[in-house]
């Protein structure tokens, strides 16, 4: 039979096929091949022995969180507690774009802000460059975006992923954690990756994380996945312009004119430096 892995806990894969759930193990040759089924995988399995025998080709894959065959990623980014991080948001956008997954941005804890001016400007900019952006109270709009899609819900620990999922599907009753005042971030409440049925779609609730890495990416990959840079790179003096030290750089002129947000450009330079440090 063919089905989709919807949950993985302690080397037990829950596979959904034809409206039924099967708790499966996997065959030993996967260890030899150094592959393993992950949530989102389409697999062939022996229903009589509950044994996964083959992983079908993936259209995409995320390493962290480990999930495959994703249509879109909902990036949850907190306005407060934990404080908004443009660096983390841009890093997630670049990594998700690189993996050929459509990113959607959702700002959480907007209601905790005393002054919304800065976040409103950020929201306006990301919309202008082509991203779909929600505030977490826009539950009807978020539900519409989830329909008929496999989505991954991701963001740093304490950003409010479980709280949002509880709003989208009241019967889930997922545990939520408090923010540590000492650390300024939340405690992990999600312990495994699982696909949940929400609004006629599948949504992967994933463990929170505080670190991301540009796995397999080089400077060109970073550059090409800043979408407003990519859209304007043909106007630079040099075709291989990295938009840092080159003269005649059109992207830098847009930053100087305020047409590209300065925080985006500063984050871009940091990411390029991280790639350079890896090489060194």
């Amino acid at each position: 039979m063919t089905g989709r892995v919807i949950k993985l806990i302690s080397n037990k894969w829950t596979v959904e096929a034809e409206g039924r759930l099967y708790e499966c193990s996997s065959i030993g040759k996967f260890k030899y091949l150094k592959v393993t089924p992950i949530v989102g995988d389409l697999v062939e399995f022996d229903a009589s022995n509950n044994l996964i025998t083959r992983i079908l080709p993936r259209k995409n894959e995320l390493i962290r969180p480990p999930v495959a065959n994703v249509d879109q990623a909902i990036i949850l980014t907190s306005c407060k507690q934990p404080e908004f991080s443009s660096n983390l948001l841009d890093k997630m956008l670049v990594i998700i774009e690189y993996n050929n997954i459509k990113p959607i941005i959702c700002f959480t804890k907007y209601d905790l802000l005393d002054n919304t001016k800065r976040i409103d400007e950020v929201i306006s900019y990301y919309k202008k460059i082509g991203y779909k952006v929600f505030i977490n109270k826009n539950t009807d709009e978020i539900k519409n975006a989830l329909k008929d899609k496999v989505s991954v819900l991701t963001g740093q620990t304490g950003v409010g992923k479980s709280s949002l999922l509880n709003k989208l599907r009241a019967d889930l009753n997922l545990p939520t954690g408090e923010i540590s005042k000492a650390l300024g971030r939340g405690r992990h409440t999600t312990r495994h990756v699982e696909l949940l049925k929400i609004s006629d779609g599948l949504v992967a609730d994933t463990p929170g994380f505080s670190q991301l890495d540009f796995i397999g990416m080089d400077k060109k990959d970073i550059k090409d996945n800043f979408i407003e840079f990519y859209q304007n790179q043909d106007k630079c003096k040099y075709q291989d312009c990295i938009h840092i030290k080159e003269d005649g750089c059109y992207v830098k002129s847009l930053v100087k004119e305020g047409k590209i947000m300065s925080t985006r450009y500063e984050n871009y330079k940091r990411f390029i430096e991280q790639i350079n440090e890896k090489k060194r």
Side-chain angles (χ1 to χ4, degrees), residues 10-183:
S10 301
N11 292 323
K12 286 292 181 183
W13 291 264
T14 301
V15 178
E16 182 179 34
E18 298 178 2
R20 290 185 58 189
L21 298 179
Y22 300 83
E23 189 174 274
C24 296
S25 301
S26 64
I27 59 175
K29 79 170 184 179
F30 288 145
K31 286 186 179 179
Y32 172 76
L33 295 172
K34 296 183 179 179
V35 296
T36 185
I38 61 176
V39 169
D41 269 331
L42 296 172
V43 296
E44 292 179 356
F45 68 103
D46 181 344
S48 60
N49 295 312
N50 285 14
L51 191 66
I52 295 172
T53 57
R54 182 182 174 217
I55 303 169
L56 299 181
R58 296 166 178 162
K59 72 175 182 180
N60 56 40
E61 175 187 357
L62 288 172
I63 304 293
R64 186 174 184 179
V67 59
N69 300 315
V70 176
D71 295 313
Q72 58 189 17
I74 317 295
I75 303 171
L76 268 63
T77 183
S78 176
C79 297
K80 191 173 183 177
Q81 297 179 8
E83 296 299 316
F84 170 64
S85 169
S86 67
N87 184 280
L88 184 56
L89 173 58
D90 286 337
K91 186 173 276 191
M92 286 193 283
L93 284 169
V94 168
I95 291 170
I96 287 164
E97 294 265 20
Y98 172 73
N99 283 280
N100 299 313
I101 297 169
K102 178 185 176 182
I104 296 174
I105 304 169
C106 180
F107 284 87
T108 65
K109 308 186 183 181
Y110 183 86
D111 56 309
L112 298 181
L113 293 172
D114 297 321
N115 186 333
T116 65
K117 182 181 178 182
R118 180 192 173 210
I119 292 297
D120 288 342
E121 289 174 348
V122 170
I123 290 172
S124 177
Y125 180 79
Y126 283 96
K127 284 183 176 179
K128 183 184 78 173
I129 62 176
Y131 289 111
K132 187 176 287 188
V133 183
F134 298 121
I135 298 172
N136 65 311
K137 66 180 180 180
N138 305 137
T139 50
D140 287 342
E141 293 177 45
I142 296 170
K143 284 180 180 179
N144 286 335
L146 299 177
K147 188 175 181 180
D148 300 325
K149 303 289 185 184
V150 176
S151 308
V152 59
L153 200 67
T154 191
Q156 70 185 120
T157 305
V159 78
K161 295 188 298 297
S162 296
S163 296
L164 178 60
L165 286 169
N166 286 337
K167 287 181 182 178
L168 295 173
R169 208 184 101 182
D171 64 309
L172 288 176
N173 294 315
L174 298 173
T176 59
E178 297 178 355
I179 299 296
S180 165
K181 292 181 179 179
L183 299 176

